[in-house]
Amino acid sequence: MQPNSREALARRLANHKSFRFNLCLAVLVVTGIANRFSRARLLCGTGAIVAACLVAVLTLVPVSGAFGQTVYEVTVHNNFGTGEFYNATPQNTQIWLVTDFQFDYQTSPGVWTAGNQTAGSPFVVQLSTISQGKLRLYRTGGSRMYAVLSQAQPAAQIPYPSTTQPCNYFEWSFSGGVPGVLDLSWIDRWDFLTRLEVSNLPASAPTMVYGSKQRQSTAAVGRAMAGYASQTQYAWLGTGTGGFSQALAFPGATNPIGWVTQNQFTGSGFASGIVSFTQALDQVIATAHLATPWTPAWTQGTPGPGLGPNWSTAGFRVGYPQGMNDPDTGGTAGSVWTAYVGFTGNSTSGYTMTLTDFTLYDSSGNCIWSAVQNAAGATYSVTQEQGLLDCIWTSSWNNLQPPQPAWVTNLGNSNGVMYAVYNALASGLIYLPDFVTNTQLNLADPKFAGYIAWIKNALNYSFEIFTKGAQVTNDGTNNGLAGSLQGQDMINLLNSQGNQMMNPYFLALLRTQEVTPAYLYPSQDELQFKGIAGASPVLGLQPQPLSTITDFGDNAKLDWYLGGGLNPNITGALMLLLLD
C-alpha cells in the first residue's frame, strides 16, 4: 500500500465508530507497555504513540490474537551435527525453548495450541512437542528466546550467565506491535553455534542472515578457544583460577564450556587480571613514546582542529560522528568529537588514561569547541583505582567508583568515549599502516565519489572512517559510507596481530560468521560490519541491523538453527584456520 492510499484509508476508517474505539483502546494498551530492550527505539509522547498505533493498524493484517496483533512465524531447527556438542548430539527431547514472548506453537501440521500467553513472563516448551519446530510469535512484547540444552525441563526463568545448562538466545523488541531491533547475541556467554535467517522481507534482497555460516562445528570452535586459554596472556578466557568461563553439563558431552569474556560484567577490579589487556595498554604507552610530540599549535593553527597525526605523544587519536557535550562544562553540544587517548603507568603501579585536545564539531564539520581554545588546554583523566580498566573492558562507565568525575558527567553521551577506546584496543585498527602513517584518502577512487568530510578539511584515514565510514554518494549498495573495516578486514587485522591481540574470543567467533555478526561485545555498534540483506558471503556492509516495520514488513519469517551442522571429527582444516 502506497503512503497516499494508506492516508486515504485512514480517513475512511476514522469515520467508523468501531475503528475509533479500537484505536483508542490500542493507545491505552501501548501507553502501558514497558520496553525492556535497552537498544530499542522508544516512542516518546502521546502523539508518537497515536501515530505508531495508526500506522500499525493500517499496515498489519489482523489474525486471532490480543488486540488484533499479527504474528511472525519462527521455525526452530535442531541443526547439531553428529557429536558436534563436545561429542554429544542434542536431541529434540533435550532442547527446551525458554522465552518471554507471547507465542503459539504447532502440534501437528496446521494445528496450533497456545504457548505463552503473557508477554514478559518466561515460559518453557520442549522442542520435541513442536511439530516441524514452528511457532507464531506475537508482536505484544517480551525480549528474548533461549534454547536450553538439558535432559530435564529447565526452570521457567531467563537463564543466568552462571547456569551450567548450555544455552543461547536471540533478542527482539516490540513497542505497540511495532518490531524493534533484532539481534542474535553471543554476548553474555557463548555455548554453541547458532544461525538466524530472516526471510520474506520487503527489501529487494529479501533475506538477512545472522551468526554462523553453514557447516561449522561448535566443538571445533571450543577447541580453538581452549587453545587460546592455555596461553598465559589469555588464561582469563579459561575455566582455571582467575578464568571467566563456565564448565557446563550435558549428557554425553566431554568437558563442554560456556565461554565468557565478562565484557558486560558489573564489578570492580576484575579487568586488572586480563593480561592481554594490560599488554595492550603497555603497547600504546610504548608507541606513543616514540610518536611525534603533541602540540596545541595543531588545533590553534596548522593543520587545524582534529587534523593532527593519528599518533602523537598524547596517544592515539579517536573520534566519532555522534552527539557529545564538552567535558569542561557540558554546555556545548557537538555532532562529532575527537580526542587523543593516552596512558601512563604499568600493571604494578596502576594505569591512568588521559584525554588530550578534546574537540567538538557541528554537523558541517566546523570546530565549535576545543579544550585547547576554550578550556586553557585542559586534559581529562581517570585512574585504575577509580575503575578505569573495568570501564574500558565493558565499554561503559558503569564500573566507575564514586564519585564520578565531573568531566565524565558533562559529556552526556559519555559511553561513546569508552566505545571508541575499547574498539581501538580490541581491534588493533590503531596499528593499521594507513592509520599509523595518516595515509591520504584516494578521492579519485570511485568508492569515495561525493566525499564529505566529517571534520572540515579532513582528507586522511582516521578512526571515524575505519569505524563509521566516510560520507559518500549512496550508490544503492554502499549505504552512503565508504572505507570502514568490513568483517573480513577485521579478521585479517586480528590475524596479523598474532598473540598480541587483546581478545581472541572475538576472532574465533567472527570467523564462523557469514553476513551479520552475532553480538559479541557491547560497543560492537560502533563498527559498521553488521551485514546486508541478501545471501551475500560478505561479512558486513549495512549500518543497521533489522529494526523497524519498514525492515520486517508484516510477513517476515525467522528460521533459527541450533548448532553449526558439522561433525567436529572432520574439521581438521577448520581447526588449522581457527588457530592460525
Side-chain angles (χ1 to χ4, degrees):
M1 183 179 295
Q2 297 301 314
N4 57 346
S5 60
R6 180 179 298 154
E7 292 167 2
L9 179 59
R11 289 192 295 271
R12 292 198 300 272
L13 288 176
N15 291 324
H16 292 277
K17 292 181 180 178
S18 60
F19 174 79
R20 292 198 299 268
F21 172 78
N22 289 334
L23 179 59
C24 292
L25 180 59
V27 170
L28 292 174
V29 171
V30 172
T31 304
I33 291 175
N35 191 329
R36 299 175 54 192
F37 194 121
S38 62
R39 284 195 297 272
R41 293 157 178 76
L42 301 179
L43 294 176
C44 299
T46 303
I49 293 174
V50 172
C53 289
L54 183 59
V55 171
V57 171
L58 295 178
T59 57
L60 307 186
V61 180
V63 299
S64 176
F67 303 103
Q69 295 285 0
T70 60
V71 296
Y72 287 121
E73 183 178 295
V74 178
T75 304
V76 181
H77 304 264
N78 181 350
N79 193 47
F80 283 101
T82 302
E84 182 190 339
F85 189 72
Y86 300 91
N87 296 325
T89 309
Q91 304 300 306
N92 285 359
T93 56
Q94 299 171 306
I95 298 175
W96 305 81
L97 304 181
V98 181
T99 181
D100 61 354
F101 294 121
Q102 179 184 352
F103 71 92
D104 301 331
Y105 62 95
Q106 185 174 259
T107 53
S108 61
V111 179
W112 298 85
T113 190
N116 188 16
Q117 294 303 290
T118 307
S121 178
F123 186 93
V124 181
V125 63
Q126 192 174 27
L127 183 58
S128 60
T129 66
I130 304 174
S131 174
Q132 301 174 323
K134 293 187 178 299
L135 304 95
R136 297 191 305 202
L137 194 154
Y138 287 82
R139 291 147 54 153
T140 52
S143 58
R144 291 182 176 184
M145 178 173 287
Y146 281 82
V148 178
L149 308 185
S150 176
Q151 191 67 36
Q153 179 173 327
Q157 63 184 31
I158 298 300
Y160 293 106
S162 60
T163 180
T164 60
Q165 294 175 323
C167 59
N168 220 313
Y169 69 92
F170 69 83
E171 53 189 351
W172 205 357
S173 66
F174 296 93
S175 181
V178 179
V181 176
L182 172 67
D183 281 317
L184 182 64
S185 294
W186 298 350
I187 193 170
D188 296 317
R189 190 179 81 184
W190 181 82
D191 295 357
F192 53 85
L193 291 170
T194 52
R195 174 185 177 89
L196 184 62
E197 296 180 359
V198 189
S199 60
N200 214 29
L201 298 172
S204 57
T207 302
M208 174 74 90
V209 179
Y210 291 82
S212 173
K213 291 180 285 192
Q214 299 282 12
R215 298 187 60 74
Q216 301 287 298
S217 168
T218 294
V221 178
R223 289 196 294 267
M225 294 276 201
Y228 287 119
S230 67
Q231 302 175 53
T232 301
Q233 70 269 35
Y234 303 126
W236 57 269
L237 184 57
T239 58
T241 302
F244 299 153
S245 295
Q246 170 76 50
L248 305 179
F250 185 75
T254 305
N255 300 321
I257 294 175
W259 299 97
V260 179
T261 64
Q262 290 196 350
N263 279 139
Q264 285 204 121
F265 188 73
T266 299
S268 176
F270 67 93
S272 62
I274 304 174
V275 175
S276 57
F277 180 21
T278 57
Q279 286 181 345
L281 299 182
D282 293 339
Q283 185 178 3
V284 169
I285 293 170
T287 303
H289 180 72
L290 300 175
T292 303
W294 176 82
T295 171
W298 295 342
T299 299
Q300 294 168 330
T302 303
L307 303 180
N310 289 326
W311 274 98
S312 75
T313 51
F316 54 84
R317 178 195 170 283
V318 295
Y320 206 70
Q322 63 185 173
M324 191 74 69
N325 299 336
D326 77 85
D328 199 57
T329 67
T332 302
S335 298
V336 184
W337 66 274
T338 61
Y340 283 100
V341 180
F343 294 91
T344 55
N346 54 55
S347 59
T348 301
S349 64
Y351 294 92
T352 295
M353 181 182 77
T354 300
L355 303 184
T356 301
D357 197 20
F358 200 99
T359 308
L360 298 175
Y361 314 83
D362 63 19
S363 58
S364 298
N366 299 301
C367 175
I368 58 173
W369 187 94
S370 76
V372 169
Q373 296 173 325
N374 301 96
T379 59
Y380 306 94
S381 298
V382 64
T383 67
Q384 182 173 334
E385 185 177 13
Q386 292 174 290
L388 169 65
L389 302 192
D390 306 317
C391 290
I392 294 176
W393 191 254
T394 57
S395 306
S396 167
W397 293 100
N398 289 343
N399 290 320
L400 200 62
Q401 300 303 299
Q404 180 168 281
W407 70 266
V408 175
T409 304
N410 291 339
L411 292 173
N413 183 22
S414 58
N415 281 347
V417 171
M418 281 303 174
Y419 274 31
V421 174
Y422 179 84
N423 278 295
L425 297 171
S427 68
L429 70 85
I430 53 178
Y431 300 108
L432 276 171
D434 284 342
F435 184 91
V436 173
T437 61
N438 308 293
T439 301
Q440 192 168 25
L441 300 174
N442 179 11
L443 298 184
D445 188 327
K447 74 179 181 181
F448 287 115
Y451 171 73
I452 300 174
W454 293 114
I455 296 170
K456 191 174 181 179
N457 299 322
L459 298 173
N460 300 78
Y461 277 101
S462 61
F463 183 86
E464 53 268 32
I465 288 179
F466 283 126
T467 52
K468 177 71 173 180
Q471 300 178 95
V472 296
T473 300
N474 192 333
D475 64 5
T477 63
N478 63 6
N479 297 287
L481 298 168
S484 62
L485 293 174
Q486 303 300 310
Q488 190 57 51
D489 298 327
M490 183 65 72
I491 291 171
N492 295 341
L493 175 58
L494 292 169
N495 278 335
S496 70
Q497 297 170 50
N499 290 336
Q500 295 300 309
M501 69 177 155
M502 193 170 89
N503 190 349
Y505 175 95
F506 184 29
L507 174 60
L509 291 178
L510 188 62
R511 277 173 154 165
T512 71
Q513 304 190 53
E514 182 174 19
V515 180
T516 301
Y519 258 79
L520 300 174
Y521 60 93
S523 58
Q524 189 170 323
D525 277 323
E526 187 174 65
L527 294 160
Q528 294 300 305
F529 50 86
K530 295 181 185 175
I532 59 173
S536 170
V538 177
L539 183 61
L541 295 172
Q542 178 174 303
Q544 293 291 335
L546 297 174
S547 61
T548 65
I549 190 66
T550 302
D551 288 343
F552 290 104
D554 296 321
N555 302 303
K557 295 183 178 181
L558 280 67
D559 285 88
W560 192 24
Y561 294 86
L562 309 178
L566 189 63
N567 185 326
N569 297 320
I570 58 173
T571 56
L574 173 64
M575 278 297 299
L576 290 176
L577 285 173
L578 286 168
L579 291 172
D580 184 3

